[in-house]
Each structure stands twice: as C-alpha cells, then as structure tokens.
Amino acid sequence: MPDLRPAPLGAVLTGTGVSPGTGVGPVVHLAGAVPEPPPARHGGTPEDARAERAAATAALEAVAAELSERGAQAAAAGSAEARDVLEALAMMARDVELAEAIAGRIDAGLAAPRAVFEAFAGYRRMLAGAGEYLAARVADLDDVRDRALARLLGLPMPGVPRRSEPFVLVARDLAPADTVALDPERVVAFVTEEGGPTSHTAILARALGVPAVVACPGCTELAEGTVVLVDGSTGTVRIDPPATGVRAARRRRRPPAASPGPGATKDGHPVPLLANIGGPQDVRAALEAGAEGIGLYRTEFLFLDRADPPSQAEQQAAYRAVLEAFPQGRVVVRTLDAGADKPLGFLPPPGDEPNPALGERGLRMLRRHPQVLEAQLGALARAAAGLSARLEVMAPMVTDAEEARAFAAACTAAGIEHAGVMVEVPAAALRAGDLAAEVEFLSIGTNDLAQYTCAADRQLGALAHLQDPWQPAVLDLVALTAAAAADAGRGCGVCGEAAADPLLACVLVGLGVTSLSMSASALPAVRAALARHTLAECRSAAAAARAARSAGRARAAARAHLPAPVEPGA
C-alpha cells in the first residue's frame, strides 16, 4: 500500500492525456493487489503433481472463460474494440506454451501458485524486452496472472471498487479487463502512474469515452477521498480545484454534441472526419458516430496470433465488409504493419535486432516477403471489385521515394488505383515532396512520428513529455508534410491519435492537414470543435503553437487562440 499523504491545495500533477474530456470527483484507489506467492512445494508424489496441474489448468480456464464472457457482453453493448482486447487476454490464459511451462515447474516440485507465478514471470521478461508493441502487453499479462493466482489462493479478485457516488479511479496501472468494466456514470475519470498512450487500457478508455491520464508520477500517493479534476486532453490532475472549476468540469463531463454531417470549419472549409478501425466489427460504431469513411484500417489484426497467414478468401471477406459499409466514402487500408515489435509466426524475423523499433517492420518487412504483400493487395483489389467505395491503400514505415515508388508499382500491378504512404519517419516528413511525387496521398501517423522525432519510446512513462504530439518539432514536421503534399496536389491526412484531441485537431487543420481519422468515440467532439472555429483561426492557432518552445506552451498558445465555449456560471 502506498504511503498516502495529502497534497498541497491547488497542486497539479502532470501525466500523459490519452482520452480527452474532464472528470472531477474524490480519489478511489484500485483494490485487491495479489501478493507474490511463497516458493512453496507440493507433496512430491505423482498424485500431488496431477492435482496441482489440474488446479492450475482450472484456474486459467476459469479466467479465460470470464474474460471471454466480458468480451461478449462488451460486444453486445456495441464495443467491438473491448471484445477484441478481452479475447486477446483469454488467448493468453489458454496459451499452450504457457501451460507447458507451468506443468514443467509443477513436475519439478513447485506448488501450483508458485509455478504459475514463475511461468508468467518468464513470459513477462520476454515481452518487456521485445519492443514497444509487445512491451505494452506486459500489463495485460500481469492481469491474467493475478486473476489466476487469486483463484488458486482463495483471494478476492482484483478490480474496481463499487461506489454509489461518482469518483476518480487511481491505480499504479489498470488492467484492460477492469477498464472495459468501468461504468462511466460512476468512474468519471481515471489516472495511472504507469502505462503509455498505445496500451490496451488507453485504447479502451478512448472507446468508452472516459477521460484518462497515464504516466502520472505521484498519483498513487494521493489520499483516498481527495477531490481531483482530471483533464484527459492536457494530461493534468488538479488537486482540490476551486469550486468554479468543479462546476465547469461537471458540465463538461461529456463532449458537446455535434450536428451530423461532414466535418467542416465554421466558415465551411471541408475537413473529412474518418474513423480508425481494426476490422468489420468496428464499423457499426464508426457509422453511429458519423464517420465519413475509414482513414485507417489496421489489417494486422487479421494476421496476429496465427501460425499461418489468413487465406485470400478470408482477407477478401473482411475487406469487402468494410467497403460495403461506406458505399460513397473513402476506405483507407494500411497494409500489414508487422515485423520487429509485432512478430508473426509465419514471417521469420531477420535475426536479432537490438532496437526493434528501428528494425525491419512495416513495408521493410513486406519487401523481404513480397508474396505476403502480393496476396494482400490481390485480396484488396478483388474485395473492391464492383463496389462504389473508394479504396485507398497505404504502406507503413516508408522512408524514401524509392520505397514509395516500389509500393505504388505493386499496387498498380494488383489493380489498385489509389496508393499512398504513411509518414512516420522524420526523413519521410523532411522529403515529403519526393514521396508525394510517387503516390496519390500521404497519411501522418503522429504516434510513431513523435516517437522517432524525439527519440522517446512510446511505452516509457518517464519520457511521456517527449512523446507528446504537441512538441513544436513534431508540429513543424506535420506542417512540412502538409505543405509538400499541397504543392504536389495531394491530400495529407492524420490518422494518429493526435487527431482525436479536439484542440489539436483544429491546429492540424491550421497546419494544412486535409482530413482527420480517429477512434469513433472522438468524432463528435472533434466535429463540434471544428464547427466553432474558422480556418483563419485554426491557422493562427497553429502558427502560435509552432512558435512555442515546449509542448505545454504550444498547447496553451493554441488554447489562447481557440478558447473553449464559456460555460454559464463558470
């Protein structure tokens, strides 16, 4: 238990905002930490070993079944993202190699709880050193372990405390299974000391529309009951805020509703608002939020956790389902973004990579295995045949014009008319004009662009201030890319999570970005923010943000030019 102490009145803690909005309420800490089991041994007979193995197997299967059930409930409530995350956790609990590691330790004499703990510890070490994507799954692994141990040890299951009044949940980290079960009417915001913007917890927070701040040092030391105001856009946690701030925050708990229709600034400048999805299961939420199309279809979810690649028929069906849902819209598909930090069982890695984030991933991996790219492009072309939706296909991790040219040629050979590339590497942003001469459109992935520009791993909470898309250097690269695309007569979108921040979305438009793509839950607030400001105001805010010397000052400068609506009585 942390050494809880009162904080100075009006003090502000700072972390990384991962889900926009504000929430205010008393602090409640996550309950039920599961202690490390002692190195106990069983009786040593074959019967004892069988009993321990059976107990471990039953505990893990019970955890998997519970997670799958929660996933089904989430899907029934309209959250396909939550269902996918919880199914991935259930697969962890049912992993064959993990079961064998546990059985081996039990056969060596360990009791079931200790065998489970040590087997998970081995997997934990492997994931922690395997690159940003897999490192982000460590918290997921810990959650599955703790749930299994709680069953074996007869302890209360870790989870979110039940309260009758709204509160702010504070934890060292928050497991996805707990995040998806949050009731937004009770948990008005949450704050964690660890975590990163690409963790499953952050993704689910955005899907649920719960304001959230992660990587916030000192939050777990807040005394239970302390009133805090959480701003998921700025990443701040204000302790004992003034009464006027509390009233305003409670009025702003939910993003303002926006009228349906195409995205546009107050003076009518069109800004298509698109959705990021992981597959057909996410289409319903995108349509309900008024998405004008799909700006990022993450196809890697079709390929992950498989020993063999999906068949072309399976791929074609998944792609066609999304294209059919937007008969008059754009559907931008990202080709398989795998390799290095997202290894696939059927694509052998090129060898040891000391820094996977700088290794063979995305298009680099696909050029090593051209048959995978050819199969995917062929399935996409067939899926689009006879449909009115505009299929656009882009490659991830493109660095130079030669790579862009090769990808465009592969698309043409497959019968795909509209090829583009993602701008995630600073070299690509600096020479965006060269890339724009080879393809039809550019799409900026702000998550990776911020990481590579500032040399700050996306999963390191200690470097969260450098992973911020408000960093003026990142804004400069966005502006350079957008200007180069405009000079070439090409579109330039943003599909990173920066687009989901209503204030930053206006700045991106002011920088010259022509479309924005984000989680479906963020679309209404972004549409409303754009409708409140003219293009000239967005440009003025963008110039002010670029002139600032830090991410915090850039955000403040933009807010000064684009103030939020004044709340009555605030």
Side-chain angles (χ1 to χ4, degrees), residues 302-303 306 308-317 319 375 379 382:
L302 271 172
F303 294 80
R306 304 177 66 135
D308 299 297
S311 67
Q312 290 201 35
E314 183 180 351
Q315 290 190 56
Q316 184 176 333
Y319 305 147
R382 286 189 294 277

Side-chain angles (χ1 to χ4, degrees), residues 168-503:
V168 173
L169 183 65
V170 174
R172 181 185 62 80
D173 206 348
L174 192 59
D178 291 326
T179 309
V180 74
L182 296 181
D183 177 1
E185 294 299 320
R186 291 288 176 263
V187 181
V188 296
F190 70 78
V191 185
T192 65
E193 195 161 58
E194 299 180 1
T198 60
S199 66
H200 274 157
T201 300
I203 293 169
L204 290 176
R206 289 189 288 268
L208 292 169
V210 177
V213 174
V214 302
C216 185
C219 68
T220 55
E221 298 176 357
L222 292 170
E224 189 109 351
T226 302
V227 175
V228 295
L229 191 160
V230 179
D231 190 326
S233 298
T234 64
T236 57
V237 179
R238 185 173 296 278
I239 301 161
D240 288 319
T244 54
V246 170
R247 288 196 297 271
R250 284 176 173 155
R251 280 191 294 272
R252 296 197 307 267
R253 272 188 60 191
R254 298 198 180 281
S259 59
T265 59
K266 185 177 181 179
D267 53 338
H269 174 71
V271 184
L273 298 181
L274 314 171
N276 295 344
I277 66 169
Q281 69 277 3
D282 299 334
V283 164
R284 176 184 170 188
L287 290 170
E288 290 177 348
E292 299 170 53
I294 300 300
L296 173 62
Y297 184 164
R298 299 182 178 100
T299 59
E300 60 266 25
F301 291 107
L302 271 172
F303 294 80
L304 293 173
D305 300 315
R306 304 177 66 135
D308 299 297
S311 67
Q312 290 201 35
E314 183 180 351
Q315 290 190 56
Q316 184 176 333
Y319 305 147
R320 192 172 182 89
V322 176
L323 289 161
E324 288 176 338
F326 294 92
Q328 306 304 319
R330 297 168 58 201
V331 175
V332 183
V333 178
R334 181 175 70 188
T335 55
L336 178 59
D337 186 13
D341 59 342
K342 285 182 269 188
L344 298 177
F346 56 87
L347 288 183
D352 291 335
E353 291 184 330
N355 192 336
L358 303 180
E360 293 194 14
R361 55 173 289 199
L363 183 61
R364 301 170 182 179
M365 176 63 78
L366 290 175
R367 295 188 75 183
R368 176 182 283 272
H369 300 280
Q371 74 282 2
V372 176
L373 177 60
E374 291 170 8
Q376 184 172 28
L377 294 178
L380 282 164
R382 286 189 294 277
L387 299 182
S388 57
R390 178 184 172 93
L391 171 66
E392 302 180 2
V393 183
M394 62 184 181
M397 283 297 288
V398 172
T399 304
D400 58 26
E402 189 278 327
E403 290 181 345
R405 186 183 310 116
F407 179 72
C411 288
T412 299
I416 293 171
E417 297 180 6
H418 310 294
V421 297
M422 291 194 69
V423 176
E424 303 161 285
V425 180
L430 291 168
R431 304 291 297 195
D434 295 345
L435 274 62
E438 303 294 343
V439 294
E440 284 198 14
F441 67 95
L442 306 179
S443 183
I444 303 173
T446 50
N447 299 350
D448 271 326
L449 184 61
Q451 170 180 237
Y452 292 133
T453 299
C454 299
D457 191 306
R458 286 159 51 179
Q459 297 308 314
L460 293 180
L463 299 180
H465 65 291
L466 295 176
Q467 302 152 6
D468 195 331
W470 282 99
Q471 283 287 344
V474 177
L475 299 180
D476 285 346
L477 292 177
V478 171
L480 282 173
T481 303
D487 289 345
R490 304 289 192 250
C492 177
V494 166
C495 62
E497 287 301 328
D501 178 341
L503 180 64

Side-chain angles (χ1 to χ4, degrees), residues 470-476 540-559 561:
W470 282 99
Q471 283 287 344
V474 177
L475 299 180
D476 285 346
S540 178
R546 288 184 67 189
R549 291 192 170 188
S550 70
R553 291 179 179 179
R555 184 186 291 109
R559 180 166 282 113
H561 283 74

